[in-house]
Amino acid sequence: MLSTITVFSQVEKVYNYTLPPFIITQIEKGKVVNYGFEKDRNLIQLSDGFLAADPVRYQYAVRLSDIEDISIRNGFSTFGGAKYGGLIGGGLGLVFGILNSVIYKPKFAEIALVIPGLVGAGFLGGALIGGFLGSFNPNYDAYEKFSKDLLVRKEQLRKIFHKYDFNRSKKM
C-alpha cells in the first residue's frame, strides 16, 4: 500500500531594521504600556506575527496585534524652537516699543526707527535662544491606527520602519 503525503512549505519572511530611538505603546495584560528604545541604533526584527528587538541589548518581543502605536525620533526641535522663540521675542519687542512710545511720547521718526528695531532684536534674540533650547528636545513622528488584519499591519509597520531604517539601500 502506497500513500502519498503532501507537504506544504510555509516560509516566513523576517525583516531586519536598524532604527533611531523609538517608543512602542502596546497592550500588556490588559494595560497600556510604553517601551522605549533609546540607543542611537536599535536593531529590530519584524516577522509575520512578532516584533522583536536586539536580543543582545533588550529582552523584548511583542505580538503585532498588541501594538497600539509607535513613535520614532526624526531629529530635534531646533527649527520649531527658533520659530516660536523668534515670534515670542518679536512680540515682546513690539510690546516694549509701543510702551516706550506711549510713555515717552517721542517724535514719529523716532518711533519709526525704534519699534522695528526692538521687534527685530527681539525676534533675533528669541530665535537664537529658542533654537538652542529646541536642539535639546527630541522630535518624534507618531504612527497609530493600524489595521486589525495582521498581514496588513505587518505591511504598514514594514513601510514605517523602512522610512527610518539606517540601512535603506535594501529593497522593500
Side-chain angles (χ1 to χ4, degrees), residues 48-80:
D48 284 343
F50 286 93
L51 176 71
D54 182 7
V56 175
R57 289 186 184 169
Y58 308 106
Q59 295 293 323
Y60 179 81
V62 62
R63 291 188 316 222
L64 294 183
S65 60
D66 291 341
I67 295 175
E68 290 291 309
D69 63 62
I70 293 178
S71 300
I72 301 176
R73 190 178 80 192
N74 69 352
F76 293 91
S77 300
T78 305
F79 179 73

Side-chain angles (χ1 to χ4, degrees), residues 67-69 143-148 153 156-157 160:
I67 295 175
E68 290 291 309
D69 63 62
Y143 298 93
E144 53 189 32
K145 299 189 184 194
F146 297 113
S147 173
K148 299 284 186 204
R153 183 177 285 221
Q156 289 172 325
L157 291 171
I160 292 167

Side-chain angles (χ1 to χ4, degrees), residues 117-137:
L118 288 173
V119 169
F123 182 83
L124 183 62
L128 288 173
I129 292 170
F132 177 73
L133 293 175
S135 66
F136 294 108
N137 185 27

